[in-house]
């Protein structure tokens, strides 16, 4: 932000962000089966930790015809068709064979894209109306709070969620922070109306661990005359935390192997860090300056983990080659910079220069208003690059808000492109999605029509909004 328990008894298994499924298996979400009743010798670490209860909403097959299909997989198909059935994309092409019971949607003059994925959102943890009562994203009680999970702050009734859905967003990563060195775990969520956060959790998604460089942590604690108050203090804080995590992982790995004696004492903070060291939790690192990103890459090498993505990364263009070599994504804004000292050296060609260097680029919002217009943000970044003479294709730019963020979350085998077998997260746009005049007409999440601009029955609202119907023509 600007101003499960890990499966410790199976150390090599993926972190159980939503019940333990590996992302490759997440294309077929299943109803979560309750754990057996705990026996007298059972301990909490053996039980499911806040598993996903997400269930796909039933929907008749849907075929969209005569639309421009932007697959984010290398193809843009004019006057094409796409068939959705049982939550999956079944066929994409110039023509498709649809079953007799399919709902037929005329896409003449319209465009179809994958659902937008925002990997840096604070929806639900900084919910509207923005009072202190809804400010639950920063646990500012110590510089390392890896034990906290964003989902335990997330409010599914946040009225900002339906607005994001109406902007074509189908998946978000809700993050804590960024006031601490290590802020806690993220929650990867499908944007569907739900009563609980567990009913929104993306099956099989890895947890992320939010970390933060630079001004935020040193300002928060320096003003209290506490550690850290400098950038060198920040780095010492990360290193100290991971030194403890290495020892914690070693003890648990040994006990998991031989089960001799009592299990080690459980520590929620070190559990999260140990899962980072095992590669099961993905580091999502808030970091602005190029020199600090380079130092964080060194830190990761010291402790043997990977940084999945640098978020905000306004100076990423300065080390685009280093990011490409490290396989670390840059999660950036189109043109948002200059609001504090470490954000001063931003340029509008950041994303395009990263693309030119073959680094992985993702655009993000970090803002409840910006998340509603990510299609416009990616258009700005694309055109800024092209005006500077940097070749950026429409397909590459679309991937910045679809396929690439899916990779950041470890879900690229499941979502992010319009290909047969992928989850049917699909947006029908009124026109070219790179136009400022275009709006999402229909949004399908896992094949379910979650939003229809022309049908009030498919315009979800939070309980918070009851009795607050907008005048006709003013909705979103």
């Amino acid at each position: 932000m600007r101003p499960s328990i890990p499966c410790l008894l199976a150390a090599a298994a993926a972190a159980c962000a939503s019940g333990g499924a590996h992302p490759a298996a997440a294309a077929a979400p299943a109803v979560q089966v309750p754990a057996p009743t705990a026996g007298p010798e059972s301990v909490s670490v053996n039980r499911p930790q806040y598993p996903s209860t997400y269930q796909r909403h039933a929907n008749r097959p849907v075929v969209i015809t005569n639309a421009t299909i932007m697959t984010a997989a290398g193809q843009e198909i004019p006057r094409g068709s796409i068939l959705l059935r049982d939550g999956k994309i079944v066929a994409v092409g110039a023509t498709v064979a649809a079953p007799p019971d399919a709902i037929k949607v005329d896409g003449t003059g319209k465009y179809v894209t994958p659902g937008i994925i925002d990997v840096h959102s604070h929806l639900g943890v900084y919910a509207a109306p923005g009072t202190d009562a809804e400010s639950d994203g920063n646990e500012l009680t110590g510089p390392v709070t890896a034990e906290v999970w964003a989902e335990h702050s997330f409010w599914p009734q946040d009225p900002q969620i339906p607005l994001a859905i109406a902007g074509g967003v189908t998946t978000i990563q809700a993050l804590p922070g960024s006031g601490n060195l290590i802020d806690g775990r993220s929650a990867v969520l499908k944007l569907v109306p739900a009563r609980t956060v567990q009913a929104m959790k993306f099956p099989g998604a890895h947890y992320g661990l939010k970390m933060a460089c630079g001004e935020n942590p040193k300002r928060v604690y320096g003003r209290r005359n506490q550690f850290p108050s400098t950038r060198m203090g920040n780095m010492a804080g990360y290193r100290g935390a991971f030194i403890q995590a290495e020892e914690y992982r070693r003890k648990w790995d040994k006990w998991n192997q031989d089960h001799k004696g009592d299990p080690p004492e459980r520590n929620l903070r070190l559990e999260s860090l140990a899962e980072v060291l095992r590669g099961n939790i993905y580091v999502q690192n808030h970091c602005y300056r190029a020199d600090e990103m380079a130092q964080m890459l060194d830190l990761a090498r010291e402790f043997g983990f990977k940084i999945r993505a640098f978020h905000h990364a306004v100076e990423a263009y300065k080390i685009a080659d280093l990011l490409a070599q490290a396989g670390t994504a840059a999660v950036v804004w189109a043109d948002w910079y200059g609001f504090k000292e470490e954000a001063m050296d931003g340029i509008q060609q950041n994303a395009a220069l990263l693309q030119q260097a073959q680094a992985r680029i993702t655009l993000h919002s970090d803002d409840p208003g910006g998340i509603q217009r990510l299609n416009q943000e990616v258009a700005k970044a694309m055109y800024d690059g092209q005006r500077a003479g940097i070749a950026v294709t429409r397909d590459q730019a679309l991937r910045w808000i679809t396929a690439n963020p899916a990779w950041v979350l470890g879900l690229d085998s499941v979502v992010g492109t319009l290909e047969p077998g992928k989850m049917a997260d699909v947006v029908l746009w009124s026109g070219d999605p790179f136009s400022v005049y275009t709006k999402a007409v229909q949004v399908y999440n896992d094949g379910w029509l979650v939003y229809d601009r022309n049908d009030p029955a498919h315009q979800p609202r939070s309980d918070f909004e009851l009795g607050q119907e907008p005048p006709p023509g003013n909705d979103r």
Side-chain angles (χ1 to χ4, degrees), residues 4-7 9 35-51 266:
S4 78
I5 265 339
C7 301
L9 299 183
T37 303
E41 298 301 320
S42 177
V43 293
S44 61
V45 72
N46 300 330
R47 303 172 196 147
Q49 308 296 313
Y50 305 95
R266 191 176 183 194

Side-chain angles (χ1 to χ4, degrees), residues 58-369:
N59 203 83
R60 283 170 53 194
V62 175
V63 60
I64 303 172
T65 61
N66 299 316
T68 300
I69 312 292
M70 301 178 69
T71 64
Q75 273 188 304
E76 186 168 317
I77 307 169
R79 297 180 299 282
S81 299
I82 183 169
L83 174 63
L84 319 178
R85 184 173 59 203
D86 298 330
K88 299 290 189 299
I89 298 169
V90 176
V92 183
T95 60
V96 300
D101 63 337
I103 298 169
K104 296 178 175 59
V105 178
D106 183 6
T108 302
K110 299 179 176 65
Y111 284 65
V112 177
T113 70
I116 293 174
I117 301 171
D118 189 356
V119 298
H120 193 117
S121 174
H122 297 290
L123 293 186
V125 298
Y126 286 107
T131 66
D132 287 346
E134 286 80 42
S135 181
D136 285 311
N138 264 317
E139 182 59 41
L140 298 178
T141 52
V144 177
T145 56
E147 67 269 34
V148 303
W149 298 11
E151 67 200 68
H152 297 149
S153 281
F154 190 88
W155 185 37
Q157 292 299 312
D158 184 354
Q160 298 168 142
I161 293 172
L163 300 176
I165 294 172
V169 179
T170 53
T171 301
I172 65 167
Q173 179 172 225
L175 291 162
S178 308
N180 297 336
L181 299 175
I182 302 175
D183 297 282
R185 296 198 195 190
S186 69
V188 179
L189 307 172
K190 294 191 72 62
L191 281 200
V192 293
R195 295 175 299 169
T196 68
V197 68
Q198 283 76 25
M200 300 173 70
K201 288 176 72 173
F202 202 121
H206 286 265
Y207 281 109
L209 183 76
K210 178 69 175 297
M211 296 177 62
C213 300
E215 291 181 21
N216 283 15
K218 83 185 193 79
R219 180 185 67 248
V220 168
Y221 293 97
R223 286 177 177 175
R224 302 176 186 176
N225 290 321
Q226 294 177 343
F227 176 90
S229 63
T230 62
R231 284 181 165 85
M232 60 184 173
N234 287 355
M235 187 61 72
Y238 308 131
R239 298 178 77 196
F242 279 108
I243 287 169
Q244 293 179 44
E246 281 187 321
E247 177 66 10
Y248 185 80
R249 179 188 64 169
R250 184 190 65 78
K251 290 178 179 178
W252 270 101
D253 287 352
K254 183 178 185 300
W255 189 85
N256 286 331
Q257 185 174 23
D258 58 32
H259 286 82
K260 291 182 180 178
D262 292 332
E265 182 178 353
R266 191 176 183 194
N267 183 306
L268 293 178
R269 178 178 301 173
L270 296 178
E271 277 186 4
S272 291
L273 299 180
E275 287 300 286
V276 168
L277 296 177
R278 293 184 179 113
N280 297 328
I281 290 180
Y282 292 162
V283 171
Q284 310 289 348
N285 197 164
H286 158 125
C287 208
Y288 286 80
R289 284 183 7 186
D291 60 312
E292 289 188 278
M293 285 184 266
Q295 289 179 355
M296 294 304 291
L297 291 174
D298 282 343
L299 175 83
R301 283 188 281 268
E302 178 183 1
F303 290 97
F305 65 88
K306 294 285 188 179
I307 295 175
R308 193 71 170 185
F310 286 117
H311 292 234
H312 310 331
V314 298
E315 293 187 10
Y317 65 94
K318 297 182 180 182
I319 56 164
D321 57 330
L322 301 184
L323 297 177
Q325 291 165 15
T328 297
V331 179
V332 302
W333 292 295
D335 52 8
W336 199 359
Y337 55 87
F339 44 83
K340 58 180 175 177
E341 189 64 35
E342 65 184 359
M344 287 296 181
D345 211 3
I347 60 173
Q348 294 169 321
Q349 293 76 29
N350 193 14
L353 286 168
L354 288 161
Q355 181 72 57
Q356 187 178 59
Q358 299 183 355
R360 196 184 303 267
I361 307 92
T362 292
L363 262 66
H364 68 320
S365 73
D366 190 28
D367 179 74

Side-chain angles (χ1 to χ4, degrees), residues 387-460:
R387 280 194 291 268
I390 303 168
V392 179
T393 69
R394 289 165 60 84
D395 184 75
Q396 287 171 333
L398 181 61
R399 291 178 66 87
W400 296 349
I401 52 172
T402 56
N404 289 358
W407 179 88
V408 168
L409 301 178
L411 295 170
D412 49 314
S413 66
V414 180
V415 292
T417 60
L418 300 182
E419 297 177 280
K422 291 285 186 77
M423 188 177 285
D425 289 3
V426 174
V427 183
L428 176 66
W429 300 91
S430 62
D432 189 329
F434 295 143
S435 168
V436 71
Y437 300 107
T438 292
K439 296 181 179 180
V441 177
Q442 291 184 334
V443 180
Y444 296 87
N445 200 316
D446 211 358
W448 176 51
L449 181 60
V450 66
Y451 176 77
D452 189 331
R453 185 171 296 275
N454 298 315
D455 183 359
H458 290 91
Q459 294 174 5

